[in-house]
């Protein structure tokens, strides 16, 4: 029986990185008493080669997490990673993710980075990744441009309409009714790793500026108003003082023992993320009851 109790968490760190491993870009979904946490797993091999994977862990109490389970193949030309969101479509779970190619020794993804989806009936067994042609079905792969960090959501007023936001020229926006044929709808100013909540008064977007988790609000997904930047307990967290970023917010207000909006994020430190990009990153947690005030384990 799941027993969630935010007050029992001893640390804001849920999963800790080390000198050869980083945990980045969290994304989560709650189903039937189990919290499924997906993330980028970065490994540095003995020869210094860096590989990125989509991986997942599960928990029924937020305290104990299953060991990382890798869901994608070992290939630096792909480096599937950065899960963005999980939605339901035609009776399946659909997870959005990116490729982050670094096969030539690049520190950051090259221009062949694209956005994809995977499908599952049970959140455990996943299909092969499918390329999202978010610039339109007639735009060749080679002309789509570098894009990362996809996030798919359902329109708040039209449950048959899906939106995909992704990092290109700020945040770009495409729409679809079948997750196959997409129409490009322009772009707006934003950082990376977007996450969007459907709230009664509109959309709340979380994104990653240079540091922290930025917040924007909108009623139409096109015109946005800045609503501040969160850095949580970063000043007191050596493990996140390099950078705190990639906030993903999950509405668990109806889950007993949680009853809050829960933010998963990753922190790098104490050096700046530009120094330790591939190691030491940890996944952390914070929560809010109103999307205004945030708290975390150990907050004074």
């Amino acid at each position: 029986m799941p027993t969630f109790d935010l007050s029992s968490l001893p640390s804001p760190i849920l999963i800790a990185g080390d000198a050869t491993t980083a945990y980045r870009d969290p994304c989560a979904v709650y189903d039937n008493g189990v919290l499924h946490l997906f993330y980028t797993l970065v490994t540095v091999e003995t020869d210094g080669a860096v590989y990125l994977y989509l991986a997942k862990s599960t928990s029924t109490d937020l305290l104990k997490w299953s060991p990382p389970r890798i869901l994608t193949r070992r290939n630096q030309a792909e480096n599937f990673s950065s899960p963005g969101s999980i939605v339901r479509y035609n009776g399946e779970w659909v997870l959005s993710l990116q490729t982050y190619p670094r096969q030539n020794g690049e520190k950051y993804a090259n221009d062949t980075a694209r956005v994809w989806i995977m499908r599952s009936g049970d959140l455990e067994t996943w299909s092969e990744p499918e390329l999202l042609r978010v610039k339109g079905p007639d735009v060749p792969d080679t002309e789509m441009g570098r894009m990362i960090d996809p996030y798919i959501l359902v329109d708040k007023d039209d449950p048959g309409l899906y939106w995909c936001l992704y990092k290109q020229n700020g945040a770009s926006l495409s729409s679809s009714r079948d997750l196959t044929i997409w129409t490009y709808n322009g772009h707006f100013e934003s950082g990376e790793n977007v996450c969007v909540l459907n709230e009664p008064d509109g959309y709340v977007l979380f994104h990653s500026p240079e540091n922290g988790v930025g917040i924007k609000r909108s009623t139409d997904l096109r015109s946005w108003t800045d609503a501040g930047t969160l850095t949580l307990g970063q000043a007191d967290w050596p493990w996140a003082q390099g950078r705190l970023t990639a906030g993903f917010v999950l509405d668990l207000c109806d889950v007993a023992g949680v009853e809050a909006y829960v933010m998963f994020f990753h922190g790098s430190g104490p050096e700046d993320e530009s120094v330790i990009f591939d190691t030491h990153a940890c996944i952390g947690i914070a929560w809010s009851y109103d999307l205004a005030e945030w708290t975390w384990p150990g907050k004074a």
Side-chain angles (χ1 to χ4, degrees), residues 1-5 30-35 59-62 255-257:
M1 193 71 179
T3 54
F4 295 105
D5 180 4
Y30 174 80
D31 181 57
N32 196 29
V34 179
L35 191 67
S59 177
T60 57
D61 59 9
L62 293 173
V255 176

Side-chain angles (χ1 to χ4, degrees), residues 40-42 50-54 72-73 79-81 100 102:
T40 299
L41 173 62
V42 187
V50 178
Y51 289 83
L52 280 65
Y53 304 91
L54 171 70
T72 53
R73 51 190 168 259
N79 278 344
F80 282 106
S81 53
Y100 204 76
R102 296 170 57 182

Side-chain angles (χ1 to χ4, degrees), residues 14-297:
L14 296 182
I15 304 178
D18 56 32
T20 60
T21 311
Y23 300 91
R24 304 171 57 87
D25 314 316
C27 162
V29 65
Y30 174 80
D31 181 57
N32 196 29
V34 179
L35 191 67
H36 299 258
L37 182 65
F38 297 81
Y39 45 83
T40 299
L41 173 62
V42 187
T43 63
V44 181
E45 301 189 351
T46 54
D47 63 355
V50 178
Y51 289 83
L52 280 65
Y53 304 91
L54 171 70
K56 71 167 293 192
S57 297
T58 58
S59 177
T60 57
D61 59 9
L62 293 173
L63 288 168
K64 298 180 294 294
W65 292 88
S66 63
R69 184 163 75 87
I70 291 174
L71 302 175
T72 53
R73 51 190 168 259
R74 179 180 180 274
N75 185 338
Q76 286 181 317
E78 295 175 336
N79 278 344
F80 282 106
S81 53
S82 194
S85 64
I86 301 172
V87 297
R88 295 287 289 175
Y89 178 75
N90 274 359
E92 291 185 304
W93 299 99
V94 179
L95 180 147
S96 56
L97 72 166
Q98 68 180 17
T99 46
Y100 204 76
R102 296 170 57 182
Q103 69 270 36
N104 302 310
E106 300 96 333
K107 183 169 185 176
Y108 306 113
N110 59 42
D111 289 343
T112 63
R114 298 291 185 268
V115 296
W116 305 68
I117 57 171
M118 296 168 64
R119 304 173 191 258
S120 175
D122 60 5
L123 292 170
E124 297 295 340
T125 302
W126 292 87
S127 68
E128 281 292 302
E130 306 167 32
L131 178 68
L132 289 185
R133 298 184 174 277
V134 288
K135 302 304 281 289
D138 299 326
V139 177
D141 301 2
T142 54
E143 296 178 17
M144 291 170 64
R146 183 185 190 272
M147 54 182 70
I148 59 172
D149 297 335
Y151 186 97
I152 295 175
L153 73 150
V154 180
D155 188 277
K156 67 181 180 64
D157 300 315
D158 183 349
L161 180 62
Y162 292 81
W163 296 94
C164 182
L165 285 73
Y166 48 97
K167 177 63 177 174
Q168 186 181 76
N169 298 321
S172 286
L173 186 68
S174 298
S175 60
S176 174
R177 292 193 175 273
D178 61 7
L179 303 185
T180 300
I181 305 299
W182 292 88
T183 300
Y184 179 63
N185 287 267
H187 61 93
F188 58 90
E189 184 178 348
S190 174
E192 57 196 13
N193 292 111
V194 300
C195 167
V196 185
L197 295 181
N198 288 349
E199 290 296 299
D201 57 349
Y203 298 98
V204 182
L205 180 145
F206 301 87
H207 68 102
S208 298
E210 185 173 342
N211 181 62
V213 178
I215 305 173
K216 294 175 179 283
R217 291 181 175 269
S218 174
T219 58
D220 61 5
L221 290 175
R222 292 172 176 79
S223 300
W224 294 90
T225 301
D226 287 318
T229 300
L230 302 170
T231 55
L232 306 174
Q234 184 182 37
D236 300 317
W237 296 338
W239 57 273
Q241 285 176 356
R243 189 184 186 197
L244 189 152
T245 189
F248 175 92
V249 179
L250 182 63
D251 183 349
L252 296 178
C253 293
D254 294 331
V255 176
V258 182
E259 294 145 356
Y261 298 92
V262 177
M263 178 185 291
F264 303 93
F265 59 92
H266 80 251
S268 301
E271 294 87 4
D272 185 83
E273 193 174 72
S274 62
V275 178
I276 54 172
F277 185 64
D278 293 318
T279 63
H280 291 94
C282 304
I283 293 178
I285 188 171
W287 59 90
S288 174
Y289 302 105
D290 58 6
L291 294 178
E293 287 292 324
W294 292 83
T295 191
W296 49 86

